[in-house]
Amino acid sequence: MGIDVAGRGIAITATGLTKVYRNGPVEVHALRGVDFTALRGEFVVVLGPSGSGKSTFLNILGGIDSASAGSVLFNGQDITRLDETGLTRYRRDHVGFVFQFYNLVPSLTALENVALVTEISANPMRPDEALDLVGLTARRDHFPAQLSGGEQQRVAIARAIAKRPELLFCDEPTGALDSATGIMVLEALTEANRATGATTLVITHNAAIREIADRTLRFADGRIVEDTANPCRKRADQVSW
Amino acid sequence: MVIPPLRRKVWRDIRRLWGQALAIALVLGAGVATMILGNGAYGALSDTRARYYADHRFADIFADLTRAPLGLLEDIATLDGVLQAEARIVKLARPEIPGLAEPAALLLVSLPESGGLNRLYLREGRLPAPDAANEALVSQDFARVHRLRSGARMTVVMNGKRQDLEITGIALSPEFIYALGPGEMMPDPRRFGVAWLSRPALQAAYDLDGAFSNVVLRLAPGTPPARVIQSLDRLTLPYGGGGATGRDEQTSHAFLDAELGQLRAMVRVLPPVFLLVAAMLVHMTLSRLIALEREQIGLLKALGYGPTRIAAHYLEFVLAIALAGVVAGLAAGTWLGAGLAQLYARFFSFPFLDFGRDPQVYGLAAIVALVAAAGGALQSLRAVIALPPAIAMAPPAPPDYRKTASVAERLLPLRQTGRMVLRHLLRWPLRSVTSIFGVAMAVAILVASLWSFGSIERMIHVTFGLAEGADARITFATATPAAAVLDLRHLPGVMAAEPFRVLPARLSHGTRSKRLAIEGRSPTARLSRLLSPALRPMPVPEHGLILSEALAAALGVGRGDRVEVAFLQGRRAVVDLPVSGISLGYVGLGAAMDLDTLNRANGEGDLVSGANVALDAAETDAFLAAADAAPAIGFVTLTDLTVARFRATLAENITLMITVYVGLAAIIAVGVVYSFFRVSLSEQGRDLASLRVLGFTRAEVARIVMAELAAIVLLAQPLGWLLGHLIGRAMVAAFSSDLYRVPFVMGREVYATASLTVIAAALVSALAIRGRIDRLDLIAVLKTRE
Ligand SMILES: Nc1ncnc2c1ncn2[C@@H]1O[C@H](COP(=O)(O)OP(=O)(O)OP(=O)(O)O)[C@@H](O)[C@H]1O
Ligand SMILES: [Mg+2]
């Protein structure tokens, strides 16, 4: 147990994960008992129709949302039982996030946005190293307002991996980008995944992206309805949208 | 009736932004309240006084003399410009009140004739019978303190003889709105009162049959008092006239003038500060609201709402808040005004003091406040009108921080969060600067009010600690040969007695002149000393004069200049004397010279007016009893009592004033801090939530906003000190009159107290809103673009 055939350890395990939103009398079941295990360094693509619970799933795994039932085991710890302080520590020490809208701090340059995170983590890379990984060394002193969407997203990726997280969660990182830019972002992600060994979960609406992943999950109606391995990963620039 | 959707949005916005709306309303309300208070009190006081003066025929000119035949009145009445002249008898007597051990004085004034001047307002009872020898009216405050009602009896020592008087009623007079006892610094109705008796009664008591000792005149409108005073002085000269005075030197009138001057100073400073800060808050809040609602504005425009209609909607939002502030301000102003009127009623005896609900004052305050709020909204409204719908509907470009990287940043070893703070502050420099200014105004208001504590302590310390070493001051009923001082030394408890002489005189230099009492001092005096502005004792010069700073300034003279001194008593000598020095003095105008030189110049012989004495504290009661029994003694003032009264009166006033000012400053500080915080949080909420997702703790995220606030609040301190210092200086100038000169004592503790108070207020409001940082919604910010 805990070791897969390839000899990689387990990064994170979700068991019976359930999320119910209650808005007055209306109950929305966002997750209906999800079981999931990711291995260290695995690159997982999450697909599924809108409203199927992908973001909810990722947010609970990332420690920014709470589950209604079930558990999420990370390093032998059930993060669904952590309090606010524990969750903050968890995010700070182990998790990197990349979001559809980048969420960069507009008053900080690219390099400073990365440094924002390296300053508070235990074993970070140098900020310029992280920027180099996403190919943005030349733009290090530019503010978000001076960067294109794709560049901003790459800065966000650099910021997410600079702390050398065990887990990297990306919610529609290419959602706001055209395909050419999207490919560059995906390249950055796969490179980050390779370089840091972070277990990477990427939500996307673009089914073609699964070709660059180790594994694909498909969500529907709050459940994982399909879990397929991809034995031959393609490089991002080989994917057609 | 259907409420238009935009109208509904106004209410919803106000409810949603109630904190900011409240902050604006409070600051604006404070502006309105201070306006009502200041203008209202000024109006009430000056109108009431004017009406009282007119209805009760308050005289324009007052003159004391020793004794003049009634026939002289004819000559006075026919002087050019004189409408009416009335001869009176005015004498100081000593009331004997059971239980009152301290020295007290009762000013006896003959009742005005029917149709006469300074007519009384009869609060209760009846006038004394025209020729009743032992009936009197007493002044209201004196009666109140001693629980004297009509029908009560009172013993008064008049001209050395005990007399039993029946109080027929209680009255007020325009002459004694502010009733200050002889030698006192503050009114004390326990120890000073006025009694009005029939002329015959006073004639008999003071041997003034067919004569008078005081005359009051009413002038034809537009007559300059100075000329009449000159002619009057000429007429009264042979009868011991001490020099006539106009209203401006009449104690009661002058004190009211000083109070009015202070009120005017307050109205000039406080309301504008609040209105300015309120306008600034409106600008801050509205421009953020509009930035957030760009898309809605674009949509409305696209739907066909005209730009002015949309601007009107936001104006409506601002005016609705302003209106709430105005209403609150009007209510608070009225309430505070009533309180102030009560305070005034304690110092000033008016038959009525209507803190008038003058609709003009109210209307003006309301309009000015609404205009200030609309003014604050102006720029944002213009932006609303100018916003093209297409651009409005597109998401706003991310704020551009390119130009904010600053020198400061390179010098400070900042973390990234520190950079965020600094750059956010610099990104909106106008907002940062106005916020700093707002907080600075809160500090300034406190600095400008708190210094008065130190100032009063300095006055007391200098006047009674350093200058006045005597325990009591004895004033004879009339000027007496110097030998009488020797007799005083035999009174129980008297350890030392040093003579003084006071003589009324007019001091002139060029076109400026002032009437005052020159004090003759013995060069060997040790008890009571003159002090230089550097607080060093000054010897009494053999020939020249020592003028108080206030007098020197009023006459425009300095050391070495010469002034003309016209004595207003005795031989009426006019001499030219050098100014040998300038002395420190906070109360009244003062001039001192050598006692013998004074007597020689005046030519009435070797006379003294009284003596400063050192007392054995254990024998004070015996001393007072003996002084009471000595017919030659006019009145006694005890230094301790004067200080206590001075301190108590001012302490009471100042405590009240400081409470109000602290409240006002807190309103500004809280209002500015809260609004700044909300706007800053609204702008950076998304960034802060992102930081939380990245693993920043609540405390770390809160620290970013708090650091921004701290920068604002701390930068505001030195500016506040400076502004407060300047306002304080201006107040000193406004408060200084011939009656008082206030020392400007601005110590470090004033700055410290002001800063700590404002920082505490900022801290309280910061803590109150800290919860908003803790409740940042992490997920919502990830789902949306700004
Ligand atoms: N705060 C909330 N309150 C109520 N229901 C919510 C809330 N957040 C999400 N939901 C519901 O939970 C369900 C899952 O939402 P989720 O955001 O996880 O879907 P998703 O798969 O990420 O969809 P998309 O692809 O559109 O991002 C949806 O039906 C959504 O309406
Ligand atoms: Mg989603």
Side-chain angles (χ1 to χ4, degrees):
Chain A
M1 279 303 286
I3 303 286
D4 80 329
V5 277
R8 293 195 288 195
I10 288 176
I12 190 163
T13 304
T15 316
L17 208 55
T18 304
K19 177 75 178 180
V20 183
Y21 289 108
R22 282 194 186 79
N23 282 334
V26 188
E27 288 197 346
V28 179
H29 290 260
L31 295 177
R32 302 169 188 268
V34 173
D35 299 318
F36 168 74
T37 299
L39 301 177
R40 295 220 171 109
E42 217 176 2
F43 194 109
V44 181
V45 159
V46 182
L47 296 169
S50 188
S52 57
K54 306 181 295 291
S55 294
T56 307
F57 176 63
L58 213 68
N59 289 344
I60 295 174
L61 257 51
I64 53 177
D65 203 350
S66 59
S68 307
S71 65
V72 176
L73 233 58
F74 173 81
N75 277 355
Q77 199 176 24
D78 184 355
I79 63 158
T80 59
R81 293 177 186 280
L82 292 178
D83 61 0
E84 185 54 45
T85 317
L87 283 176
T88 303
R89 270 244 79 85
Y90 167 67
R91 293 197 300 267
R92 185 173 187 141
D93 295 339
H94 308 293
V95 184
F97 280 104
V98 176
F99 303 102
Q100 182 176 0
F101 300 114
Y102 333 130
N103 292 64
L104 295 180
V105 176
S107 55
L108 299 179
T109 62
L111 190 76
E112 289 162 351
N113 260 286
V114 178
L116 190 61
V117 168
T118 58
E119 276 176 3
I120 59 162
S121 34
N123 178 31
M125 25 177 122
R126 290 197 323 276
D128 49 345
E129 201 180 329
L131 274 186
D132 192 38
L133 263 175
V134 297
L136 276 180
T137 311
R139 313 298 299 274
R140 46 177 278 169
D141 291 329
H142 287 177
F143 285 94
Q146 297 167 279
L147 299 171
S148 73
E151 287 162 347
Q152 288 186 55
Q153 192 61 299
R154 279 148 66 199
V155 175
I157 293 170
R159 185 178 66 180
I161 59 167
K163 69 169 82 155
R164 303 185 200 277
E166 281 101 318
L167 303 167
L168 178 60
F169 297 126
C170 312
D171 195 342
E172 301 190 37
T174 58
L177 303 172
D178 63 59
S179 61
T181 319
I183 287 167
M184 290 181 72
V185 166
L186 288 176
E187 274 175 343
L189 270 181
T190 47
E191 175 59 18
N193 169 248
R194 192 197 53 72
T196 64
T199 304
T200 308
L201 268 74
V202 181
I203 296 179
T204 178
H205 281 284
N206 187 344
I209 291 176
R210 71 177 150 202
E211 293 174 31
I212 66 166
D214 293 317
R215 189 176 158 196
T216 305
L217 303 181
R218 184 177 295 281
F219 270 76
D221 197 21
R223 290 192 182 85
I224 296 176
V225 293
E226 193 188 311
D227 185 345
T228 43
N230 177 19
C232 48
R233 282 176 69 177
K234 281 190 183 174
R235 287 208 321 272
D237 58 359
Q238 296 169 323
V239 174
S240 57
W241 299 48
Chain B
M1 200 189 91
V2 183
I3 303 169
L6 277 184
R7 175 70 45 75
R8 225 170 312 156
K9 181 173 169 306
V10 167
W11 294 120
R12 214 166 294 146
D13 284 346
I14 290 178
R15 226 173 313 152
R16 195 163 50 86
L17 301 173
W18 68 269
Q20 279 151 288
L22 186 67
I24 294 172
L26 275 180
V27 175
L28 203 63
V32 171
T34 49
M35 242 188 306
I36 300 265
L37 190 62
N39 284 330
Y42 186 86
L45 217 50
S46 58
D47 291 354
T48 306
R49 185 175 77 169
R51 214 165 79 208
Y52 192 19
Y53 281 0
D55 291 353
H56 290 258
R57 299 197 193 203
F58 184 50
D60 293 303
I61 291 186
F62 309 77
D64 271 317
L65 31 78
T66 315
R67 179 198 179 97
L70 278 171
L72 182 68
L73 190 62
E74 196 74 12
D75 301 341
I76 295 173
T78 50
L79 283 176
D80 217 19
V82 174
L83 263 191
Q84 192 178 355
E86 181 163 15
R88 310 193 299 177
I89 294 172
V90 177
K91 290 286 177 185
L92 201 60
R94 208 163 55 215
E96 282 193 348
I97 291 173
L100 183 67
E102 302 102 314
L106 195 64
L107 192 69
L108 306 182
V109 181
S110 58
L111 282 164
E113 288 153 25
S114 63
L117 299 176
N118 298 344
R119 290 157 65 177
L120 304 179
Y121 178 91
L122 196 61
R123 180 69 84 196
E124 67 164 62
R126 59 165 177 87
L127 289 172
D131 47 5
N134 51 6
E135 292 186 349
L137 293 173
V138 293
S139 56
Q140 174 175 280
D141 292 335
F142 185 77
R144 181 172 38 80
V145 173
H146 295 294
R147 298 174 200 286
L148 298 171
R149 305 298 302 262
S150 352
R153 309 193 73 84
M154 173 173 67
T155 309
V156 179
V157 181
M158 296 159 64
N159 205 11
K161 289 189 289 276
R162 267 218 179 75
Q163 196 147 341
D164 204 30
L165 296 180
E166 184 196 337
I167 294 163
T168 62
I170 289 167
L172 296 98
S173 156
E175 197 178 353
F176 302 105
I177 297 173
Y178 187 88
L180 197 60
E184 294 295 337
M185 291 169 76
M186 283 288 160
D188 186 352
R190 230 163 62 83
R191 295 190 292 116
F192 179 71
V194 185
W196 292 270
L197 280 75
S198 70
R199 264 185 75 86
L202 288 174
Q203 276 180 3
Y206 289 93
D207 305 319
L208 285 168
D209 267 329
F212 61 96
S213 75
N214 175 286
V215 62
V216 287
L217 310 182
R218 213 149 81 96
L219 302 183
T223 311
R227 233 190 40 227
V228 180
I229 288 176
Q230 255 182 11
S231 330
L232 179 62
D233 283 354
R234 236 186 348 263
L235 285 178
T236 57
L237 175 66
Y239 306 101
T245 59
R247 279 185 183 181
D248 56 341
E249 291 177 74
Q250 198 259 345
T251 309
S252 164
H253 183 89
F255 270 92
L256 269 164
D257 268 352
E259 182 62 33
L260 286 170
Q262 294 187 17
L263 277 174
R264 204 166 12 207
M266 182 200 108
V267 175
R268 289 218 184 111
V269 174
L270 277 187
V273 166
F274 283 97
L275 296 180
L276 205 64
V277 173
M280 185 190 105
L281 295 186
V282 166
H283 174 75
M284 208 191 279
T285 303
L286 190 65
S287 52
R288 180 60 193 157
L289 180 65
I290 284 169
L292 283 175
E293 297 191 342
R294 271 164 69 91
E295 292 181 42
Q296 295 181 39
I297 293 167
L299 184 72
L300 287 171
K301 284 191 175 180
L303 288 176
Y305 279 90
T308 37
R309 177 74 197 81
I310 301 172
H313 158 70
Y314 287 103
L315 185 61
E316 222 173 282
F317 168 76
V318 167
L319 290 183
I321 295 172
L323 210 58
V326 167
V327 170
L330 294 179
T334 308
W335 182 70
L336 286 172
L340 190 64
Q342 264 175 21
L343 190 69
Y344 280 155
R346 245 189 291 170
F347 289 95
F348 301 122
S349 281
F350 284 106
F352 48 86
L353 179 61
D354 205 6
F355 184 78
R357 312 259 150 90
D358 184 352
Q360 266 189 6
V361 170
Y362 279 65
L364 183 73
I367 288 171
V368 168
L370 292 177
V371 166
L378 206 60
Q379 205 198 334
S380 311
L381 296 182
R382 267 214 299 260
V384 167
I385 292 175
L387 199 66
I391 290 184
M393 305 259 292
D400 189 348
Y401 277 89
R402 246 173 297 180
K403 295 176 203 77
T404 55
S406 63
V407 186
E409 221 172 286
R410 253 163 269 143
L411 297 178
L412 296 169
L414 286 176
R415 309 189 105 207
Q416 308 311 322
T417 43
R419 294 212 164 104
M420 287 176 68
V421 170
L422 192 61
R423 290 181 190 165
H424 189 249
L425 284 172
L426 293 174
R427 177 67 181 71
W428 280 274
L430 185 69
R431 181 170 73 218
S432 301
V433 166
T434 49
S435 300
I436 290 172
F437 173 77
V439 176
M441 283 323 297
V443 177
I445 285 178
L446 285 179
V447 169
S449 56
L450 288 172
W451 65 269
S452 43
F453 280 118
S455 173
I456 287 167
E457 283 313 314
R458 166 77 66 85
M459 277 169 95
I460 291 175
H461 172 66
V462 169
T463 311
F464 300 106
L466 299 178
E468 192 53 78
D471 300 311
R473 187 174 172 95
I474 298 170
T475 305
F476 293 127
T478 55
T480 310
V485 175
L486 294 174
D487 297 341
L488 292 181
R489 298 216 170 102
H490 300 306
L491 287 176
V494 172
M495 301 191 295
E498 294 175 348
F500 67 85
R501 172 94 209 252
V502 283
L503 268 176
R506 185 165 288 281
L507 271 63
S508 316
H509 176 75
T511 53
R512 305 197 204 179
S513 94
K514 284 283 171 191
R515 179 192 188 279
L516 65 140
I518 293 188
E519 182 167 9
R521 296 166 156 267
S522 153
T524 57
R526 290 288 165 272
L527 292 176
S528 168
R529 303 183 296 185
L530 293 168
L531 289 179
S532 74
L535 301 183
R536 266 190 282 280
M538 300 173 84
V540 181
E542 208 174 320
H543 293 297
L545 279 166
I546 291 196
L547 306 185
S548 72
E549 284 178 301
L551 179 59
L555 292 178
V557 295
R559 229 187 112 154
D561 288 336
R562 295 187 81 85
V563 290
E564 185 194 273
V565 179
F567 290 106
L568 300 170
Q569 242 178 40
R571 259 196 322 129
R572 300 232 160 193
V574 178
V575 291
D576 200 42
L577 290 173
V579 177
S580 313
I582 309 290
S583 70
L584 190 64
Y586 299 129
V587 184
L589 299 172
M593 60 191 287
D594 180 79
L595 177 60
D596 294 332
T597 314
L598 179 67
N599 273 331
R600 262 198 310 281
N602 184 48
E604 281 183 311
D606 204 6
L607 297 179
V608 297
S609 306
N612 295 313
V613 299
L615 290 179
D616 178 352
E619 290 195 72
T620 306
D621 288 346
F623 162 76
L624 288 174
D628 261 3
I633 293 179
F635 59 90
V636 174
T637 45
L638 288 179
T639 309
D640 283 352
L641 284 181
T642 309
V643 179
R645 181 73 192 163
F646 184 75
R647 203 190 284 273
T649 310
L650 286 178
E652 207 178 331
N653 272 350
I654 286 188
T655 309
L656 195 78
M657 185 187 92
I658 298 280
T659 312
V660 170
Y661 278 60
V662 166
L664 292 176
I667 286 177
I668 288 198
V670 168
V672 171
V673 166
Y674 182 83
S675 302
F676 181 87
F677 183 95
R678 287 296 302 271
V679 168
S680 171
L681 192 58
S682 157
E683 271 168 5
Q684 304 190 99
R686 186 184 166 76
D687 300 341
L688 300 180
S690 301
L691 292 190
R692 291 277 290 119
V693 172
L694 293 178
F696 281 75
T697 62
R698 282 179 173 158
E700 283 167 341
V701 166
R703 225 175 285 148
I704 293 176
V705 185
M706 296 298 171
E708 213 177 350
L709 271 182
I712 295 282
V713 171
L714 292 182
L715 286 173
Q717 302 306 319
L719 181 63
W721 298 338
L722 179 70
L723 289 172
H725 191 97
L726 294 177
I727 295 175
R729 275 226 167 280
M731 277 164 71
V732 165
F735 289 5
S736 288
S737 60
D738 285 355
L739 304 170
Y740 279 109
R741 168 162 277 231
V742 184
F744 188 60
V745 184
M746 193 64 92
R748 246 174 308 175
E749 68 287 350
V750 172
Y751 296 129
T753 314
S755 289
L756 288 178
T757 310
V758 168
I759 289 172
L763 220 55
V764 166
S765 65
L767 287 181
I769 36 197
R770 155 117 206 228
R772 285 185 175 270
I773 301 180
D774 294 345
R775 287 195 303 274
L776 282 172
D777 189 339
L778 304 193
I779 296 165
V781 299
L782 303 177
K783 283 188 184 161
T784 51
R785 218 175 175 125
E786 197 189 15

